[in-house]
Amino acid sequence: MDTQGHKDIDPADQWVLDPETGSYVLRIDPDERPSPSVPAQGGRRERREQQGGRSARTPTPESSADASNRASRRRKAKPGKSRKKKVLIWTSASLGFVLVAGSIGGYLVYQHFNNNISTVDVGDAGNKNVTADGPVNILVIGTDSREGLGKEYGDAGSVGHADTTILFHVSKDRTNATALSIPRDLVTDIPDCPTKQKDGSTKVVPGEQNVRFNTSLGQAGRDPGCTMRAVKALTGVSVDHFMMANFTAVKDLSSAVGGVDICLAKPINDPKSHLNLGKGHHKVSGDDALAFVRTRHAVGFGGDLDRIKLQQQFLGSMIRQMKSGDTLTSPGKLWKLANAATKALTVDSAIGSISKLSDLAKDLSAVDTKNITFATVPVIDNPADGKIHKTVILTPGKAQQVFSMVRSDISLTAVTKKPGAPAASGTPAPDKLAGTKAPASQVRVKVFNGSGKTGAAQATIVWLQNNKAVNRSSNGGNAPAGTVATTTLAYAPNQADQARALAAMMGLPASALQPGTVDAAAKANMTLTLGKDFQGAGTPIAAPTTAPEGIQKVVADDKSVCAK
């Protein structure tokens, strides 16, 4: 099927405004007036016959009443206000992700874009539901794969790793979003990962300890589901979906939108990325756009952390451009953007179609750019390295506070709640922290250490006994599951008052409480498992209400950011 219409017509020019609906629709025939929709296969077709080597239409007979009605509509019709149905398509290259907002209608267009999308089955690493009533977490992966790109960017045989990874968290009430960049050189653990093979079988790729985060993809056959699992192990945040693309996405999307505004605080001449621009504001697209987001040797300390700042500036500007009136009201730009994005896009199978991506987009597209915060996971140079800026490790305290804020759905920037926002549907979840609390003398708990910090369980017991008079506490040793991301407190229904008391003492969030369904014996212990969010005995584990001081962050609508 020819989804492009006539060969001598630009597909972008086939988008026209239907005055009866106020929406853009696809006009396949240049002589055909706009119709409310494009019929699916099997619908009414106009008869065509060959005349002189050209295709000519044989008009369908029309009654005088039909002709009169059509003439009346032609006289009365006035262009209506576009409804700007927003469709959000997420994609990434070595930079991260962009938003594409637009109107996509018609069977031919649907089929065309649908065929562009590639999918990966990540099994239980993701969420099978397209949308959710609660927060949504999307992992955006920019792979440095050179497959299909020849020698243009070097290392032609590279299968690609997680060169750029952004955990995009959208709040439950859809008022804000956090885009958290995870440095590729972060030293962490990669868990075992079941991957689906072409023959339908499942192969488990063994995990590794103390390796670079970017090896969570590509290395030993790991797929994006492995990166999703690595992010959950690192942050404690369950990832719903992933979206991944390679280098060409930046080139094609930046060109399709007409260029992206950037700012340089100084001239940059980086022979490795081939970026050569003077100080000041520039509009970049194509190869220049890709060079900008790949540059790192000519800015800051010349490392990946400085490159992340360039990417965040670029993405913020790209989002502003995508959501601008110039883009939303231009069918030509919308076509080019959607076409480029879907060609570059690989997603999990749960959202592997235009209709599913559209459902997700409609759910998430309300977030204002002023409430989209780009931030980088707080890290410091790895003391185990012989040189600085080679690999990094999490900044003690600050990193876990940021992860805790994301898990607890707390924005990194101040957000005003939408006035008159409707109440959540359904029965609200019970508040596990509300209710009576048992006296400290009645609290029974066994503490397990899954934090990765030596002596954490014993230090907690000493603190509980000496400072809170919880004398019926004991050391369970290392957690059976090994190191875990978050602290949890498992208890029986008849121990709820004890759980609330211990949660108040330790500053546990409600998400840490895991009630059972069967009552426990009279002298049974609750089970407290310390996770990597444990910072020290006496330090609250609950998420802070504001971001830690000194972390790198910027909001998407900040136009004053310039690369240094």
Side-chain angles (χ1 to χ4, degrees), residues 193-324:
C193 178
T195 59
K196 292 293 181 69
Q197 305 299 299
K198 293 182 179 180
D199 61 2
S201 63
T202 298
K203 173 186 175 182
V204 177
V205 181
E208 295 182 85
Q209 287 71 47
N210 295 317
V211 294
R212 279 183 169 89
F213 176 85
N214 69 343
T215 60
S216 64
L217 177 68
Q219 195 83 9
R222 295 189 179 105
D223 63 17
C226 301
T227 307
M228 295 169 73
R229 296 176 193 275
V231 169
K232 182 176 182 180
L234 175 70
T235 67
V237 177
S238 294
V239 181
D240 297 301
H241 307 290
F242 86 87
M243 298 180 182
M244 179 180 72
N246 65 11
F247 289 161
T248 57
V250 183
K251 296 172 58 175
D252 294 344
L253 287 167
S254 60
S255 297
V257 79
V260 177
D261 292 318
I262 62 167
C263 178
L264 303 181
K266 65 177 183 179
I268 291 181
N269 186 0
D270 187 344
K272 293 193 175 182
S273 71
H274 306 294
L275 181 69
N276 188 359
L277 295 174
K279 176 182 177 180
H281 290 267
H282 303 271
K283 179 167 282 191
V284 295
S285 62
D287 287 322
D288 283 341
L290 180 58
F292 179 76
V293 299
R294 295 184 69 209
T295 289
R296 58 191 175 96
H297 297 286
V299 292
F301 292 104
D304 185 53
L305 298 180
D306 294 297
R307 185 184 66 156
I308 287 175
K309 295 177 184 178
L310 298 188
Q311 294 170 356
Q312 292 174 348
Q313 180 195 155
F314 183 89
L315 290 170
S317 181
M318 175 77 89
I319 291 172
R320 294 193 300 271
Q321 180 67 21
M322 296 280 188
K323 294 174 80 78
S324 70

Side-chain angles (χ1 to χ4, degrees), residues 391-415:
T391 61
V392 294
I393 59 173
L394 297 177
T395 302
K398 287 186 178 181
Q400 292 302 334
Q401 290 178 45
V402 171
F403 296 155
S404 182
M405 291 182 73
V406 174
R407 289 194 302 269
S408 301
D409 198 23
I410 299 174
S411 175
L412 296 183
T413 53
V415 176

